[in-house]
Amino acid sequence: MALLEVTNLHAGIDGKEILRGVDLAVKAGEVHAIMGPNGSGKSTLAYVFAGKNGYEPTAGEVRFDGKDLFEMEPDERAAAGLFLAFQYPLEIPGVATMTFLRTALNAQRKKRGAPELSTPDFIKRVREVARNLGVDQEMLRRAVNVGFSGGEKKRNEVLQMALLEPRLAVLDETDSGLDIDALKIVADGVNRLRSPQRAFLVITHYQRLLNYIVPDVVHVLSRGRIVKTGGKELALELEARGYAEYQEEAVA
Amino acid sequence: MTDVKVIKTAAETTLANAFAEARARLPGDDAIAAQREAAFELFAKEGLPHRRIEEWKYTDLRALMREAKPLAGAPDAAARERAKTAGALLGDVETRRLVFVDGVFVAELSDLSGLERGLQIGSLAAALAEGDPTVLGHLGKLAPARDVAVALNTAFMGDGAVIRIGAGATIERPLHLLFVASQKPAATFARSLVVAAPGARAMIIEGYEGPAGSEYQVNSALEMVVGDRAHVDLVKIITEGADALHVSTLAAAVAANARFNAFTFTLGGAVIRNQMFLNFDGEDTVAGIRGATLLKDRQHADTTLFANHIAAGCQSREVFKAVLDDDAHGVFQGRIVVRRGAQKTDAKMMTRALLLSERAEADNKPELEIFADDVQCGHGATAGALDEELKFYLMARGIPAAEAEGLLIQAFLGEAIDGIEHAGLREALMERVAAWLKARG
Ligand SMILES: Nc1ncnc2c1ncn2[C@@H]1O[C@H](COP(=O)(O)OP(=O)(O)O)[C@@H](O)[C@H]1O
Ligand SMILES: [Mg+2]
């Protein structure tokens, strides 16, 4: 049984159908990439997984580790091991990054029946993760994402992922807005977490990131459907030929 | 003799009778007696403030105060005993406690030992009885005589704190004026005076609390002189019992190069009116006027601020945050006036209400009146619900809904509370906020 099983998923925003029958199975240990033109529904898919209000599934189902994802609140999904790195991470004025991280980590641990991490242990963990990702300690002292550059925000998403150690991480265009050095750091962060127990769904518009995070499977999403699935060479093909043909195909 | 022909409501009649009965035994010499008479006359003419009076538009006391409670007598032994456990909100913040039960100074519950050099503490009742010239010189000079709530306080004032901080004296330990109401549904009229001489440095905490289930009524006023180069921090904590009516006034005059911070934490009471009249009449002062309000059920709290920039070069920051749940009603009226001579004034006022329920209501009325031409002034007001996007971001990291809301609410209030310089006090207030959030569930 796959860790993530998506069957004939339909979903919409304000009654407008965006996802029109997505089928997808991601096994533990695998890295899948989802590529597709802008507006094809990649972020919608990610939000439906995470449980954002207004992104309503209308048909089909999503099972995560065998459980019906739609029966769970967003925080329960996170505690069960689902992580979404946001395409546009939000700024939370007045909430210190450290408070945010500790609250999140301990809330998840509590839900899983694990004891809360002591403050010194927590600080040690965060420092270590931050060092690995080249995240400045100074950044941790500020309010969540407030005054961060685009690249810093993306790196902060990866830091959260590394700290929370999810079973499935969905990375929504984590590469956009990153220069090549930052991209490598982010990719290193992901690769360090790769394990037989963990899976990744890497959403990207460009092939570039996939040079560093090598996927097992590549899907093309177009107009709310997965229209093609292949190996890592599919990403190179897309890079060379663009998305034009997939846009056409989906319309037809 | 006062003219009582406009008095109409039961509460107004009760107050008139109470004044007629009490006037002869209220403390003070002839001049004070005359001040009381004049103040009462204003009340007799105007009646209780009501919604057609602009400053009281949202807090119609005539309607909200169905009856006036009898004047509180001297507190009994049981009330004094209960007052011992008051002020718990401050946790382990080290203060010098001055306790007032039903508005009356209780020396045996207060700490008057080892007063720092330059610090003088007394009670208003004693000062009036002795005819203390400093007190007589300041009393009623700062609080606006035209305000009826102030007038009632002046008419009935019995006791309160009189604090003098000598020139250049630094008082490390905050002075905690703790006004505790007893179980009796009575009316109290405390009047206090703080005079900080040039270069003095002190922190005053003004706390109000009382039992739930008693419809007691508090009308308290504090007049304050902040001398040249003095630095005074005032923190008012209103945690009255759930059925109390609380009206309190701060009137302060801030002299040249002084620093003045006033923070109000409003959390408890059925009807609360917190009014501030601030005169920046010396040049180059720096002031931070802030507040955090948390209301639920059918609570009503009105913060009304009048900041009067008279002298040039003064800076003031006004930040007021209100969190309103259930059927609560929060009011903020802030008026900044910049007089002709107050060039280079830098005044910025911001007020925000966070509505946690669709039934909660916020009225925000910031106003700027500028008569000088070289100033930097601005104001902003917002009212809205919690940001769902932010809540989702927190939940997507595993934080349950209630906790996510709590973090956002604490962050929202933090912007005001962080203006308090005393770290221990900041934490104590944040803890009270956390307890409020926890009770919300
Ligand atoms: N909040 C929203 N409200 C209405 N339409 C939206 C919203 N978000 C996305 N859409 C629409 O849904 C479609 C898919 O968008 P999205 O999932 O963001 O695509 P992608 O991430 O692949 O660029 C687009 O047509 C977009 O305009
Ligand atoms: Mg997108």
Side-chain angles (χ1 to χ4, degrees), chain B residues 268-288:
Chain B
V271 174
I272 299 159
R273 159 82 168 196
N274 171 36
Q275 47 180 9
M276 289 170 269
F277 302 91
L278 312 176
N279 276 347
F280 299 107
D281 39 26
E283 292 188 354
D284 300 323
T285 61
V286 176

Side-chain angles (χ1 to χ4, degrees), chain A residues 61-132:
Chain A
E61 67 165 11
V62 178
R63 293 203 163 262
F64 180 61
D65 201 18
K67 291 188 290 280
D68 183 353
L69 206 54
F70 301 147
E71 292 286 300
M72 301 157 89
E73 291 296 317
D75 57 308
E76 294 169 334
R77 300 180 194 196
L82 179 73
F83 180 89
L84 168 62
F86 284 58
Q87 182 174 1
Y88 304 107
L90 294 148
E91 299 186 6
I92 316 182
V95 177
T97 302
M98 288 299 254
T99 306
F100 166 62
L101 295 175
R102 188 167 56 208
T103 310
L105 184 63
N106 282 333
Q108 292 202 15
R109 289 175 72 99
K110 194 170 156 195
K111 216 163 281 167
R112 292 196 288 258
E116 290 199 351
L117 221 52
S118 73
T119 303
D121 285 348
F122 167 75
I123 290 172
K124 226 174 95 195
R125 282 273 294 124
V126 175
R127 290 237 167 99
E128 184 189 311
V129 169
R131 199 169 33 245
N132 286 338

Side-chain angles (χ1 to χ4, degrees), chain B residues 10-343:
Chain B
E12 287 163 350
T13 308
T14 307
L15 284 165
N17 292 339
F19 187 66
E21 186 274 322
R23 67 207 303 181
R25 61 181 163 79
L26 288 164
D29 62 8
D30 289 351
I32 290 291
Q35 216 176 318
R36 291 183 193 280
E37 295 291 337
F40 191 79
E41 204 162 322
L42 178 81
F43 164 70
K45 205 162 111 253
E46 305 273 332
L48 285 167
H50 50 82
R51 66 196 147 76
R52 287 185 306 282
I53 310 277
E54 188 59 20
E55 292 85 347
W56 289 82
K57 187 173 165 186
Y58 300 101
T59 302
D60 188 333
L61 268 196
R62 193 175 268 179
L64 290 165
M65 209 173 136
R66 277 188 300 278
E67 52 173 345
K69 300 298 175 188
L71 297 188
D76 59 21
R80 287 162 193 250
E81 188 56 36
R82 274 195 307 273
K84 283 184 183 164
T85 55
L89 184 146
L90 290 189
D92 50 16
V93 174
E94 276 271 341
T95 64
R96 179 188 290 283
R97 266 160 80 109
L98 305 169
V99 178
F100 301 80
V101 179
D102 286 341
V104 177
F105 181 57
V106 182
E108 74 262 25
L109 295 179
S110 303
D111 181 2
L112 295 172
S113 63
L115 290 181
E116 292 90 334
R117 230 180 125 82
L119 176 62
Q120 278 178 273
I121 295 172
S123 77
L124 183 83
L128 290 180
E130 290 157 15
D132 184 316
T134 320
V135 173
L136 298 182
H138 284 110
L139 212 59
K141 299 292 187 297
L142 301 161
R146 64 188 153 72
D147 180 82
V148 173
V150 170
L152 278 173
N153 183 278
T154 302
F156 287 103
M157 62 188 171
D159 205 353
V162 174
I163 293 167
R164 274 169 276 216
I165 305 144
T170 292
I171 312 304
E172 295 286 354
R173 195 148 55 118
L175 303 169
H176 186 191
L177 280 51
L178 185 51
F179 295 90
V180 188
S182 74
Q183 201 72 46
K184 279 182 295 196
T188 62
F189 297 87
R191 177 71 156 255
S192 299
L193 177 68
V194 171
V195 180
R201 169 90 180 85
M203 175 167 203
I204 318 276
I205 301 170
E206 190 189 353
Y208 293 88
E209 60 183 80
S214 167
E215 295 184 6
Y216 63 92
Q217 297 174 338
V218 169
N219 178 332
S220 187
L222 169 62
E223 289 179 280
M224 184 179 287
V225 178
V226 182
D228 289 355
R229 302 177 319 283
H231 178 170
V232 176
D233 294 317
L234 174 70
V235 174
K236 188 194 280 194
I237 301 173
I238 305 171
T239 50
E240 301 280 20
D243 303 296
L245 173 92
H246 171 106
V247 177
S248 63
T249 304
L250 165 69
V254 184
N257 299 297
R259 281 182 67 184
F260 178 61
N261 290 304
F263 182 91
T264 313
F265 187 71
T266 307
L267 185 131
V271 174
I272 299 159
R273 159 82 168 196
N274 171 36
Q275 47 180 9
M276 289 170 269
F277 302 91
L278 312 176
N279 276 347
F280 299 107
D281 39 26
E283 292 188 354
D284 300 323
T285 61
V286 176
I289 315 302
R290 299 179 177 88
T293 297
L294 295 104
L295 305 176
K296 60 184 167 67
D297 302 328
R298 302 190 56 81
Q299 283 183 286
H300 171 104
D302 172 335
T303 302
T304 293
L305 165 69
F306 175 45
N308 191 12
H309 278 270
I310 300 162
C314 295
Q315 187 202 79
S316 73
R317 291 285 173 273
E318 289 81 14
V319 181
F320 287 84
K321 299 287 191 95
V323 176
L324 310 172
D325 203 356
D326 304 326
D327 298 278
H329 185 194
V331 178
F332 175 80
Q333 303 185 97
R335 196 164 138 237
I336 298 180
V337 177
V338 181
R339 305 288 174 196
R340 201 177 305 276
Q343 298 295 3

Side-chain angles (χ1 to χ4, degrees), chain A residues 52 74-75 78 83-84 86 90-91 93-94 100 103-104 107-108 145 157 160, chain B residues 388-390 392-401 403 407-408 410-412:
Chain A
K52 184 169 173 157
D75 57 308
F83 180 89
L84 168 62
F86 284 58
L90 294 148
E91 299 186 6
F100 166 62
T103 310
Q108 292 202 15
N145 292 329
E157 294 291 289
Q160 291 166 43
Chain B
E388 285 296 322
E389 300 272 330
L390 293 184
F392 171 64
Y393 188 58
L394 294 170
M395 287 182 75
R397 295 298 175 253
I399 302 172
E403 226 179 312
L407 274 179
L408 295 174
Q410 281 169 304
F412 172 81

Side-chain angles (χ1 to χ4, degrees), chain A residues 37-44 47 87-88 172-173 203:
Chain A
N38 281 329
S40 57
K42 302 185 296 295
S43 291
T44 302
Y47 282 146
Q87 182 174 1
Y88 304 107
D172 190 0
E173 299 209 23
I203 295 173

